[in-house]
Amino acid sequence: MFKRIALPLVGILLGSLAFSGAQAGQGDWPQKPIHLIVPYSPGGNVDLIGRTLSEPLSKELGQPVVVENRAGAGGTIGSGEVSRANADGYTLLLGDIATHGINPHVYDDLAYDPVADFTPIVQITSVPLVLGVGPRLDVSTFEEFRELAESRPEDIDYASAGIGTPQHLSFEYLESLLGFEGLHIPYQGSSPARTALIGGEVGAFIDGTMVPAVREGSIKALAVTSAERAQALPDVPTLSELGVDMVFTSWHGLFAPADIDPAIAERLNEAMNKVLDEPAVRQRLEAVSIEVIGGTADEFATFVDTQSETLGELVEMADVSTH
Amino acid sequence: MKMRSLKALAPVDWISALVMIVLGLAVVVGALDYRLGTAGRMGPGFYPMLLGGLMVLLGMGVALRALFGKAADSTSEDKAADDAREEAANSRRSLICVPLSIALFGLLLQPAGLIPACLALVIVSTLAAPTFSIKRLVALCIGVPLLVVLIFVVGLGLPFTLIRGVW
Amino acid sequence: MELFANLAQGASVALTWSALMYCFLGVFLGMVVGVLPGVGPLPAIAMLLPITFYIPQTEAIIMLAGIYYGGQYGGSTASILLNLPGTPAAAVTALEGYPMAQQGRAGIALFLTAIASFVGGIFGVVLVGGFAPLLASFALEFGAAEYFSLLLLALIGAAAIGGGTFLRSLFMVVLGLFLGIVGQDVNSGQFRYTLGIPYMADGLNIVSVAMGLFGVSEVMATAHRHRSTQKESFGLRSMLPSRDDIRRSLPSTGRGSALGAGCGVLPGAGAAMASFLAYALERRLTKTPERFGKGAVEGLTAPESANNAAAQAAFIPSLTLGVPGDAVMAVMLGALMIHGIDPGPGLIADHPDLFWGLVVSFLIGNMMLLVLNIPLIGLWTRLLQIPYSVLYPAILTLICIGVYSINSATFDIFVVMIFGLIGYGLLRLGFPPAPLILGFILSPMLEENFRRALLLSRGDWSVFMTSPISGAFLALSFGILALAVAMAFRTAVKARRADRT
C-alpha cells in the first residue's frame, strides 16, 4: 500500500526536479507554476480578483497559477518586486489604479517605473465608483447635493479610504468641478469609511464598495462616476448625464516585467480574455460590482498612459504628499 | 534602612530611567520633523510629541522613585522581576547565538531557499545549548527541515523555494 | 417562541451531512493553523476561497467561519506551552498559561482553556442569535469620540497588566503606542519613523513584535539552561483541574465571556482588546494579586473566554453592517458577496436559512472543537517532554516561518530578531512586555479617532464629554487612574510606616 503511493510520489518529485533545471523556451511556456503577485494583503478587492482568476487561468494555461501576497507601502513593494523579477513569464503582477496610476505621483522615490518597467498584458476590470450620501445629509438627488454644496459647503464632511486613494482623489475632482470645498475625513480603508457614512459621522463618500448598502437602503446613491451607468445600479445616473464632465473609475490589470517575450505576452493576453469571458468568472466579479473588461494589450497600455497623466494632475490638485 | 537605600540605588532602576528618558527624547526629536498643527487640524507631529513627552515624564518618575525610597517598588512582583533579571544575566551565549541564527535564516531564505535557511538556523542556534551533542545536531538538521516542509509546504501549500535553483 | 422556530430552521440547514462535514473541516483546519504561531487563519481562509466558489453558499460560509473561530481555539496552545503568542489575544493567555505549563500544570491550563473557550464561544453565539440587529445598531452609535474614550479606557486598564510597577507598565503602554504609529499616518499621508525603509511604510507587523518580545526573548533567556524535563503522568487526571481551580475559574469565565461579547460587537477592537480587558479586570477584582503572573487560573480563563466570545460576536457587525472587523472577516464577506449575498441590516430577513444555519453551525462547531481539543491535550503536554535543547531550535524555526508567511517579507524576520533583543533587555530591566502589545495594536485607532473627533468638531474638545457614551468611558478611565494613584500612595505610606518601626 505504502509503496504504491510512495513510488509514484518520488517519481513525480524527481521528475519535477529535472524539469525545473532546464530553462523553458518560449514555445513551451508555461513549464512550471506561474506566480501571480498581489501587492496587497489577503482579503482586499485585488486579492479577491486574483483568487477568482487563478483557478480558471490555471486550467487555460495548463500550469498552476499561484497567488502570492506581497503587501506593503500601498502596493509599491509587490510591484517593485515584480519589476525586478525575471521576465520569463513566471512572475506576473496584478496591478491597479494605485500601483500604476497614483503611486508614481505620490511617492518620490518609487522603486519602479510603472511604464518602463512593465509590459501591460490586459485590463481586467473597471470599477465604477458611486457618490453616496448617508443619513447626515438631507439630500436624495444629485441636484439637491449640488445645491447644498453651493449654499452650505461647510456642511459637507466627506470620507475617504485614506490620503491619495482613488476615493479621495475622485472627491477632490468632484469638488473642483462643482466649485466647493468640504472637509476631508480620511479613514483607514473603505469599510470604516462606509460605516461612518451609514452611522452619520460623515455626509458623503465616493467608493466602489457601497452597492450592497445602497441596495439595503442605508446609503443613497446619487451618481456613478463611470462613463456608462453601472451594471449593478442601472437606475443611478452617471455624472456626465447630470451635466458634470467627470469620468473616474478604479481598475485592475495584469502586468508582466518589461522584457517579457512578446509571444508569451500574447499567449497570456489570449488566455486572460478567454477566462474573462467565462460567465462564471463574470458573474462572481459582478456580484461585488466589479465590471470585467478584457481587450488587447495595446488598448491597456494606452489606457495606463492616459490614466497616469490624469491622475498626476489630480494628485497635484489634491496636494497629496507623503512628506 | 541601610539595606533599603542600597537597593534603592540598584543600577537597574537608573538604567531603566535612563533608557526611558533617552527613548522619549528620541521620539520627541523625531516628531520635530513633522507638522504639529492645531487642535482642529492636528498635524502628524502632535501625537508622537505627546507620547515622547510622556515617556520622558515616566522615566523621570522612575528616577525620582529610585532617589527617594522606593517603598512601593518592593512588592513581591518586583522580586519576580529580580529573579528574571538574575536569570537573564547568565545567558551570554544564547544572547549572541539566538539572534544570529534568526538573522542567518532571514539572510538565506530568499537567496538560498527554505532548507538551507533552516539548517543554518538550527546549527547556529544549537550552539546556545548548555551541552553539545553531535547526535542531537544531526537529528535536528534532518528533523526540523522535514517537519517544516511537511507542515508549511505540503500541508498549507505556502509558496516556498526549498533549495534555490534545484527545487 | 420565534427564536426556537428560527433555530429549528437553522438546524435543518446545519445538520445536513454536507454542512456538518464542511463545519468539521473548517474548525479542524482553523484549529491546526491556529496552533502554528503566526500563521493564523488568514492564509487558510484565503487559500480555501476559490474552493468555496464550487460549494453551496451556506456550506462555504460555515466552513470559512469554522476556520475563523477554530483558529481562536488553537491560538492559545502555543502560547501556553511555549510562550509563543501568534496573536495579540494569545499574548494575554501566555501571561498565566506559560507559568502554569512551567509548573507542570500544562494539561490543566489547556483543559481550562478549552472549557473557557467553549463557554465564551457559546455565549457569543447566543448573542449573535438573539440580539444581532440590536447590537448592530449599538455599534453604529460609536463614532470617533466614543472610540477614542473606549480605547483610552482599555489602555489605562491594561497598565495594570503584567508584573513590575505601575510606572513601568504605563511606560510600556506608551512605548507600544509609539511603535504602533510607525508607518503612514492616515490623516496626513505622511510617513513617520520609517527610517526610509519601504517595508516600514505600513508599520511594524504585530505578529513579529509579539513573537519577538515573548517567544524569542524567552528562548534567549533560557536556551543555555539545563532544563529538567518534567516527569508527569498524562492520564485524564493530570489535566483535571482541582476544586480550587474550578471555583476560581467559574466567575472569571462568566465575566470574560460578557466582556468579550461586548468588545466583539465593535468592529476593529475585537478579540485582543477583550482579552486584555478581561485579564486586567480579574487582576483588579482578585483578593490575591500576588498570584498573578505565576499561573493564576482566573487570569487564564477570563481572557480565553473573552477572545472566543469576541470572535463569535464579531460576526454581528460583519453580517448585519457589512463591516469586517479584520482581514479574516473581510475575506469571508468577500466570499458571501461573490455568492450574491449582500451583508447588511436586511441579511437576517432576506436569508434566514443562511443566518440561522450559521448560528446553529457555530454551536455545533464549538462542540466539535471541545471534543477535538480534549484528547489533543495529552499530545500537546507530551511536547514538553522533549528536551528543551531539542525543542528550541524547532521553536525558532517555527517563529521565523510563521512571521515570514504573513507578508512573504524577510524584513519581518529581522523585526522578530530585533524585538527578541529588545524583549530580552526589557526582561532584564523588569519591564512587562504585555502592555506594549496592547498599546501597539490600539495606537493607530487611538490617534486616528482622537484626531478625527477633533477634526469633525472643528477643534472643539468638548465632543469627548458631550456624547454620553464617550463621557461615561472617560469618567471610568479617570476613576481607574485615580484609584491606581491612591493605592500606590497608600502602599507607599504603609511601607514608610513599616520602615520607621
Side-chain angles (χ1 to χ4, degrees):
Chain A
M1 181 65 196
F2 176 74
K3 263 188 195 158
R4 271 225 317 256
I5 301 171
L7 278 179
L9 250 177
V10 171
I12 291 167
L13 288 178
L14 288 177
S16 57
L17 231 146
F19 249 123
S20 58
Q23 210 29 290
Q26 49 150 78
D28 38 22
W29 178 91
Q31 288 290 342
K32 54 178 187 179
I34 297 163
H35 295 259
L36 177 60
I37 307 293
V38 168
Y40 301 96
S41 343
N45 251 353
V46 188
D47 181 62
L48 192 80
I49 293 168
R51 288 177 199 277
T52 308
L53 296 178
S54 71
E55 202 248 12
L57 191 60
S58 307
K59 270 195 200 139
E60 200 54 48
L61 294 172
Q63 281 287 345
V65 176
V66 188
V67 172
E68 261 185 69
N69 299 90
R70 298 269 164 147
T76 60
I77 287 179
S79 309
E81 279 182 23
V82 176
S83 76
R84 293 186 297 273
N86 275 343
D88 53 9
Y90 294 107
T91 310
L92 304 171
L93 175 75
L94 187 55
D96 69 347
I97 184 171
T99 59
H100 284 70
I102 299 173
N103 289 350
H105 308 292
V106 175
Y107 293 79
D108 297 346
D109 41 3
L110 201 60
Y112 62 95
D113 181 328
V115 175
D117 290 347
F118 291 93
T119 306
I121 303 289
V122 68
Q123 179 173 359
I124 301 171
T125 73
S126 169
V127 187
L129 305 183
V130 176
L131 167 63
V133 291
R136 189 165 141 199
L137 288 188
D138 186 27
V139 299
S140 42
T141 64
F142 184 76
E143 276 317 309
E144 289 172 24
F145 177 78
R146 192 202 297 242
E147 274 162 31
L148 183 73
E150 272 160 18
S151 57
R152 296 200 312 275
E154 67 278 4
D155 280 6
I156 300 181
D157 292 352
Y158 68 94
S160 83
I163 301 268
T165 54
Q167 290 89 337
H168 174 209
L169 296 180
S170 56
F171 210 101
E172 293 266 357
Y173 193 5
L174 184 69
E175 277 183 327
S176 74
L177 291 175
L178 295 185
F180 76 101
E181 208 167 312
L183 182 62
H184 175 212
I185 315 281
Y187 288 80
Q188 187 80 268
S190 271
S191 35
R194 207 170 54 233
T195 320
L197 186 68
I198 298 174
E201 186 165 73
V202 293
F205 181 34
I206 297 184
D207 186 42
T209 65
M210 289 192 291
V211 174
V214 170
R215 288 199 196 122
E216 288 280 0
S218 44
I219 293 174
K220 276 176 278 186
L222 303 183
V224 291
T225 60
S226 43
E228 309 280 322
R229 290 195 178 197
Q231 288 154 9
L233 299 168
D235 298 333
V236 181
T238 64
L239 280 174
S240 12
E241 284 175 48
L242 294 161
V244 181
D245 183 23
M246 165 175 166
V247 173
F248 190 109
T249 50
S250 185
W251 51 268
H252 306 88
L254 188 67
F255 294 88
D259 301 322
I260 190 172
D261 189 315
I264 295 178
E266 189 150 323
R267 173 85 203 279
L268 261 172
N269 178 281
E270 269 169 38
M272 278 297 292
N273 271 307
K274 267 192 199 152
V275 167
L276 293 176
D277 266 343
E278 284 178 30
V281 171
R282 277 184 178 261
Q283 195 194 330
R284 266 169 222 147
L285 291 177
E286 278 160 15
V288 282
S289 42
I290 289 171
E291 291 177 9
V292 174
I293 298 294
T296 68
D298 285 342
E299 282 166 6
F300 185 36
T302 324
F303 176 74
V304 173
D305 279 348
T306 51
Q307 277 285 299
S308 183
E309 209 171 297
T310 339
L311 289 166
E313 286 164 22
L314 274 180
V315 167
E316 204 164 307
M317 194 177 73
D319 192 23
V320 175
S321 95
T322 54
H323 295 274
Chain B
M1 190 63 209
K2 190 81 187 159
M3 279 296 287
R4 179 170 294 279
S5 54
L6 264 180
K7 200 183 168 226
L9 288 171
V12 168
D13 276 322
W14 290 107
I15 297 170
S16 303
L18 193 71
V19 169
M20 290 159 88
I21 293 170
V22 168
L23 276 175
L25 285 177
V27 172
V28 169
V29 169
L32 290 176
D33 278 354
Y34 314 124
R35 219 165 27 80
L36 275 176
T38 61
R41 273 180 195 272
M42 224 163 258
F46 182 87
Y47 182 71
M49 184 69 86
L50 195 80
L51 294 179
L54 256 173
M55 285 160 81
V56 172
L57 275 180
L58 288 168
M60 288 181 354
V62 168
L64 280 176
R65 277 244 299 250
L67 252 185
F68 304 108
K70 32 172 275 166
D73 247 350
S74 46
T75 57
S76 57
E77 284 167 15
D78 224 32
K79 213 180 236 160
D82 276 344
D83 291 347
R85 268 175 244 146
E86 202 171 304
E87 174 47 52
N90 299 321
S91 56
R92 305 250 143 135
R93 207 161 28 150
S94 5
L95 192 56
I96 298 164
C97 292
V98 172
L100 188 68
S101 68
I102 296 176
L104 276 175
F105 183 92
L107 287 175
L108 287 173
L109 185 59
Q110 279 181 355
L114 182 60
I115 290 173
C118 279
L119 290 178
L121 184 144
V122 167
I123 293 167
V124 174
S125 68
T126 313
L127 299 176
T131 55
F132 183 79
S133 139
I134 191 79
K135 221 167 72 188
R136 185 174 67 218
L137 182 63
V138 172
L140 277 169
C141 282
I142 297 168
V144 170
L146 194 71
L147 203 71
V148 156
V149 169
L150 279 180
I151 296 177
F152 293 96
V153 181
V154 178
L156 290 175
L158 295 180
F160 274 112
T161 306
L162 297 190
I163 300 172
R164 173 70 61 198
V166 182
W167 222 313
Chain C
M1 291 287 350
E2 204 192 335
L3 182 65
F4 286 107
N6 286 330
L7 286 178
Q9 186 186 4
S12 70
V13 175
L15 289 176
T16 60
W17 279 113
S18 76
L20 283 175
M21 193 192 78
Y22 282 114
C23 182
F24 178 81
L25 199 70
V27 294
F28 181 74
L29 225 113
M31 200 181 78
V32 172
V33 290
V35 168
L36 297 171
V39 175
L42 190 55
I45 288 189
M47 225 172 342
L48 286 178
L49 190 62
I51 299 174
T52 64
F53 298 160
Y54 302 101
I55 60 180
Q57 55 192 37
T58 311
E59 271 91 336
I61 300 303
I62 285 176
M63 179 176 73
L64 292 181
I67 301 176
Y68 181 68
Y69 57 82
Q72 297 286 338
Y73 254 80
S76 47
T77 308
S79 49
I80 290 174
L81 295 174
L82 308 169
N83 207 23
L84 280 187
T87 61
V92 185
T93 310
L95 292 178
E96 302 300 329
Y98 186 58
M100 281 181 80
Q102 285 180 312
Q103 295 155 12
R105 281 158 53 84
I108 297 173
L110 289 169
F111 183 83
L112 283 172
T113 301
I115 302 284
S117 300
F118 178 74
V119 175
I122 295 294
F123 193 91
V125 174
V126 170
L127 209 69
V128 175
F131 308 100
L134 196 77
L135 288 165
S137 59
F138 172 71
L140 272 185
E141 290 293 306
F142 268 67
E146 288 80 9
Y147 264 111
F148 169 76
S149 305
L150 174 66
L151 293 167
L152 197 69
L153 175 64
L155 286 167
I156 289 178
I161 283 183
T165 59
F166 190 63
L167 278 184
R168 276 165 203 246
S169 301
L170 210 55
F171 176 77
M172 290 304 275
V173 171
V174 180
L175 185 61
L177 288 175
F178 163 67
L179 291 170
I181 62 159
V182 170
Q184 190 163 22
D185 170 32
V186 177
N187 280 68
S188 63
Q190 173 143 31
F191 291 117
R192 291 183 293 184
Y193 302 96
T194 56
L195 312 171
I197 302 169
Y199 288 97
M200 281 173 66
D202 292 336
L204 298 162
N205 190 329
I206 176 63
V207 179
S208 311
V209 173
M211 302 248 266
L213 285 181
F214 283 84
V216 175
S217 67
E218 172 71 19
V219 172
M220 284 171 67
T222 48
H224 64 284
R225 251 197 300 172
H226 286 278
R227 203 195 270 186
S228 52
T229 50
Q230 299 136 7
K231 292 275 172 274
E232 17 175 353
S233 55
F234 296 104
L236 193 63
R237 184 157 298 178
S238 73
M239 57 191 222
L240 281 186
S242 68
R243 193 174 290 254
D244 183 53
D245 289 335
I246 295 172
R247 191 179 52 77
R248 287 179 193 282
S249 301
L250 276 178
S252 64
T253 307
R255 284 190 289 264
S257 304
L259 201 61
C263 289
V265 174
L266 299 170
M273 199 161 86
S275 30
F276 274 97
L277 279 178
Y279 183 83
L281 184 69
E282 292 309 314
R283 240 187 121 104
R284 281 267 174 264
L285 290 179
T286 183
K287 293 198 178 68
T288 48
E290 65 279 0
R291 289 171 40 256
F292 275 75
K294 301 189 197 76
V297 287
E298 58 267 47
L300 178 74
T301 51
E304 266 308 311
S305 53
N307 76 49
N308 284 279
Q312 298 291 2
F315 281 91
I316 295 176
S318 300
L319 293 175
T320 61
L321 296 177
V323 181
D326 56 19
V328 182
M329 274 297 179
V331 179
M332 242 181 305
L333 281 189
L336 261 183
M337 291 194 285
I338 279 185
H339 280 289
I341 295 170
D342 292 339
L347 181 123
I348 303 175
D350 295 345
H351 304 280
D353 48 333
L354 175 94
F355 181 79
W356 294 106
L358 197 58
V359 169
V360 174
S361 88
F362 287 169
L363 290 172
I364 296 167
N366 272 293
M367 282 180 232
M368 283 178 178
L369 282 167
L370 188 65
V371 174
L372 274 172
N373 261 282
I374 304 279
L376 278 176
I377 293 175
L379 189 79
W380 295 130
T381 46
R382 239 165 268 246
L383 252 184
L384 294 182
Q385 288 277 289
I386 301 171
Y388 197 64
S389 49
V390 174
L391 201 54
Y392 81 80
I395 294 176
L396 288 175
T397 318
L398 216 58
I399 293 176
C400 288
I401 296 178
V403 160
Y404 175 81
S405 70
I406 299 162
N407 280 332
S408 308
T410 357
F411 179 75
D412 286 336
I413 298 175
F414 296 105
V415 173
V416 99
M417 178 194 88
I418 287 165
F419 274 90
L421 284 165
I422 292 176
Y424 178 85
L426 293 172
L427 196 70
R428 284 197 66 170
L429 292 174
F431 287 97
L436 187 150
I437 302 288
L438 187 72
F440 184 94
I441 50 168
L442 296 189
S443 185
M445 286 164 74
L446 185 77
E447 183 193 12
E448 233 183 281
N449 285 296
F450 179 55
R451 285 167 66 180
R452 188 176 299 138
L454 287 170
L455 200 60
L456 284 162
S457 76
R458 272 71 177 167
D460 179 2
W461 290 70
S462 70
V463 276
F464 297 112
M465 301 307 295
T466 45
S467 141
I469 301 176
S470 166
F473 284 141
L474 273 189
L476 211 55
S477 314
F478 285 120
I480 291 177
L481 208 59
L483 200 71
V485 171
M487 294 221 322
F489 185 72
R490 220 177 60 190
T491 28
V493 170
K494 246 190 206 161
R496 190 143 291 188
R497 265 193 211 133
D499 253 13
R500 286 209 191 104
T501 51

